[in-house]
Amino acid sequence: MTTTPPHRQFDRLPSLSGLRWFAALLVFTTHFVHLELSKGSPLQDVLDTVLTRTGLAGVSAFFLLSGFVLTWSARPSDTVRSFLRRRFARVYPSHLLVAGLAALLMAGGGLLPGPKPILANLLLVQSWSPSQTYSLSLNPVTWSLSCEVFFYLVFPLVIGAMNRARTSSLQIFTGASFLATLVLPAIVGRLFTVAHPPAKELVDTSVYGGPFTGWFANVFPGMRLLEFLAGVSIAILVRRRAWPRIPAGWAFAILAAGYANELWLDGYLQLVGGVEIPVAILIASLAQADLAGSWSPVRGRRAAKLGELTYAFYLVHFLVLIGLGSTVKPLAVALGATADRDAPVPVWLLLAAYLVLLAVALGLGWAVHRGVEQPMMRVLTRGRRKTATGTGRTELVPLRVDTTAVSGGAAGTGATGTGPEREKPAPIGI
């Protein structure tokens, strides 16, 4: 019987790919519930209470995962230019295609926004505006992609310093990041407001403290950057074995308790207040489980394959729900399941609609992934994977890490001891 060396069992952390898929499924579920197909029934009240915040947890997981995965897969031979090129190749072609599809759908319904919101969306800067006319333009879910693009620009500026930081400094920074996400919106919300709030919002922000506080706490890239940087910090701490080991089962239980707590929170705190820290604990726990080869419920091959489709699935799912979700109630009338279109659909039809729409979104996501995302990655990154050594170009990660910055005996498991440098770039979490 052979034993697996520490931190060598699964260098690519397949559980995080599986977790990314389940995070996307949470977002899909929230948007499905917002179709209100059972409106007027006690079931819709239950769904609104229990499931409408699952998407918030999913997005928080995306941002934390993005920082963690990019840090874990960063290589000393990489350069800033090649890093940004890969991010552009993976993100932008698919975004451009789906934005075009969204524009066609909206034009058909007479809902196409003006040229400025469209341009902001195409340039992925829409989340910098507190106006939902901009931040939720075209394909509304891409507000989070706008945040991710900002993270990618920040990452090369901070990864070197964070890799060299002392373990104690990273632990303090991680805690401070979580604290800031809980406190800053309350402070900033008292100082600023939207001068001319719209009479009607696409997403009601009154429950989050108003248009400005709701935007600042949920959509503003500068605020969500804290979660991304916390993910970066946690990845380094896990690599140094300076993060407490919590079994995956317990981590999921902590997340469930955190989500139950979030259901009771009000104002902007309901956005991430109950789940942000539990999600971070879960990510670290699953990474540690992969490194040790211990049990993980999301490490399966099927979950990993679905994880590869996450970005494309996320891009298309809202369009599928809006485009096809409106056909469910007319279908219920045609089948004799309801008397009219205002009646709530029966449970069996609700479940069938969920599964069918999920399958369609997955199928379309697979088509975008195989037909656009993968080919454009090959085309736009072809012949560009040269090492930074001796080229005079800016390195993404310093080739020499100051091991004196690592406290205790963790130096051997810092940036050079666990093998992440050998790893191919993992799919981003968006």
Side-chain angles (χ1 to χ4, degrees), residues 89-153:
R90 185 178 293 278
V91 167
Y92 198 75
S94 298
H95 162 65
L96 195 61
L97 171 67
V98 179
L101 293 176
L104 290 175
L105 288 175
M106 297 184 76
L111 301 173
L112 192 66
K116 289 183 179 180
I118 291 177
L119 181 61
N121 184 280
L122 294 179
L123 296 177
L124 291 173
V125 295
Q126 69 270 35
S127 292
W128 292 93
S129 171
S131 169
Q132 293 185 7
T133 301
Y134 284 83
S135 61
L136 301 181
S137 59
L138 286 183
N139 187 7
V141 298
T142 56
W143 72 263
S144 64
L145 185 54
S146 176
C147 292
E148 286 281 351
V149 168
F150 174 59
F151 302 162
Y152 300 155
L153 296 176

Side-chain angles (χ1 to χ4, degrees), residues 318-333:
F318 191 80
L319 301 185
V320 170
L321 288 173
I322 296 301
L324 298 181
S326 59
T327 66
V328 176
K329 286 201 170 184
L331 178 63
V333 175

Side-chain angles (χ1 to χ4, degrees), residues 343-367:
V345 301
V347 174
W348 67 267
L349 184 56
L350 183 70
L351 180 60
Y354 179 86
L355 295 176
V356 169
L357 292 174
L358 177 61
V360 172
L362 267 174
L364 186 56
W366 177 86

Side-chain angles (χ1 to χ4, degrees), residues 21 78 84 125 129 173 212 347 368 370 384:
W21 156 247
D78 207 357
L84 293 177
V125 295
S129 171
F173 174 81
F212 187 87
V347 174
V368 172
R370 293 294 299 271
R384 299 290 186 175

Side-chain angles (χ1 to χ4, degrees), residues 1 75 231 246 341 367 412:
M1 177 177 178
R75 299 163 296 177
I246 298 176
R341 296 188 180 186

Side-chain angles (χ1 to χ4, degrees), residues 107-423:
L111 301 173
L112 192 66
K116 289 183 179 180
I118 291 177
L119 181 61
N121 184 280
L122 294 179
L123 296 177
L124 291 173
V125 295
Q126 69 270 35
S127 292
W128 292 93
S129 171
S131 169
Q132 293 185 7
T133 301
Y134 284 83
S135 61
L136 301 181
S137 59
L138 286 183
N139 187 7
V141 298
T142 56
W143 72 263
S144 64
L145 185 54
S146 176
C147 292
E148 286 281 351
V149 168
F150 174 59
F151 302 162
Y152 300 155
L153 296 176
V154 171
F155 183 70
L157 302 177
V158 302
I159 184 59
M162 294 186 73
N163 262 329
R164 291 189 296 268
R166 300 185 67 86
T167 296
S168 58
S169 297
L170 291 173
Q171 291 168 336
I172 292 172
F173 174 81
T174 304
S177 297
F178 292 139
L179 180 62
T181 61
L182 300 178
V183 174
L184 273 181
I187 298 174
V188 176
R190 290 179 178 272
L191 299 176
F192 300 96
T193 186
V194 175
H196 303 289
K200 185 177 181 181
E201 295 180 303
L202 296 174
V203 175
D204 183 18
T205 60
S206 63
V207 295
Y208 304 136
F212 187 87
T213 302
W215 165 78
F216 184 85
N218 189 43
V219 179
F220 177 49
M223 189 66 196
R224 303 311 294 256
L225 177 66
L226 294 171
E227 289 165 279
F228 174 82
L229 293 178
V232 173
S233 180
I234 293 170
I236 299 172
L237 291 172
V238 169
R239 192 164 56 195
R240 295 179 183 177
R241 302 183 188 179
W243 185 270
R245 177 72 188 275
I246 298 176
W250 281 106
F252 275 103
I254 292 171
L255 178 60
Y259 185 74
N261 176 60
E262 182 165 302
L263 297 179
W264 295 93
L265 296 177
D266 293 322
Y268 71 87
L269 287 176
Q270 65 187 281
L271 292 170
V272 294
V275 297
E276 186 182 47
I277 294 176
V279 166
I281 291 172
L282 178 62
I283 292 171
S285 171
L286 292 175
Q288 291 169 327
D290 282 350
L291 294 170
S294 58
W295 177 80
S296 167
V298 292
R299 191 189 295 137
R301 182 178 302 178
R302 187 172 300 173
K305 288 293 184 182
L306 289 171
E308 295 176 2
L309 301 179
T310 296
Y311 174 52
F313 169 79
Y314 181 79
L315 280 180
V316 304
H317 84 275
F318 191 80
L319 301 185
V320 170
L321 288 173
I322 296 301
L324 298 181
S326 59
T327 66
V328 176
K329 286 201 170 184
L331 178 63
V333 175
L335 294 175
T338 58
D340 55 66
R341 296 188 180 186
D342 294 327
V345 301
V347 174
W348 67 267
L349 184 56
L350 183 70
L351 180 60
Y354 179 86
L355 295 176
V356 169
L357 292 174
L358 177 61
V360 172
L362 267 174
L364 186 56
W366 177 86
V368 172
H369 175 69
R370 293 294 299 271
V372 179
E373 184 180 343
Q374 287 185 328
M376 293 309 295
M377 276 291 292
R378 289 193 293 268
V379 170
L380 296 178
T381 61
R382 183 178 297 159
R384 299 290 186 175
R385 298 187 178 183
K386 297 180 180 180
T387 63
T389 307
T391 63
R393 294 178 292 174
T394 305
E395 298 163 3
L396 179 65
V397 182
L399 288 175
R400 298 183 65 182
V401 178
D402 181 9
T403 56
T404 61
V406 185
S407 63
T413 56
T416 59
T418 64
E421 303 82 29
R422 299 181 283 104
E423 184 182 6

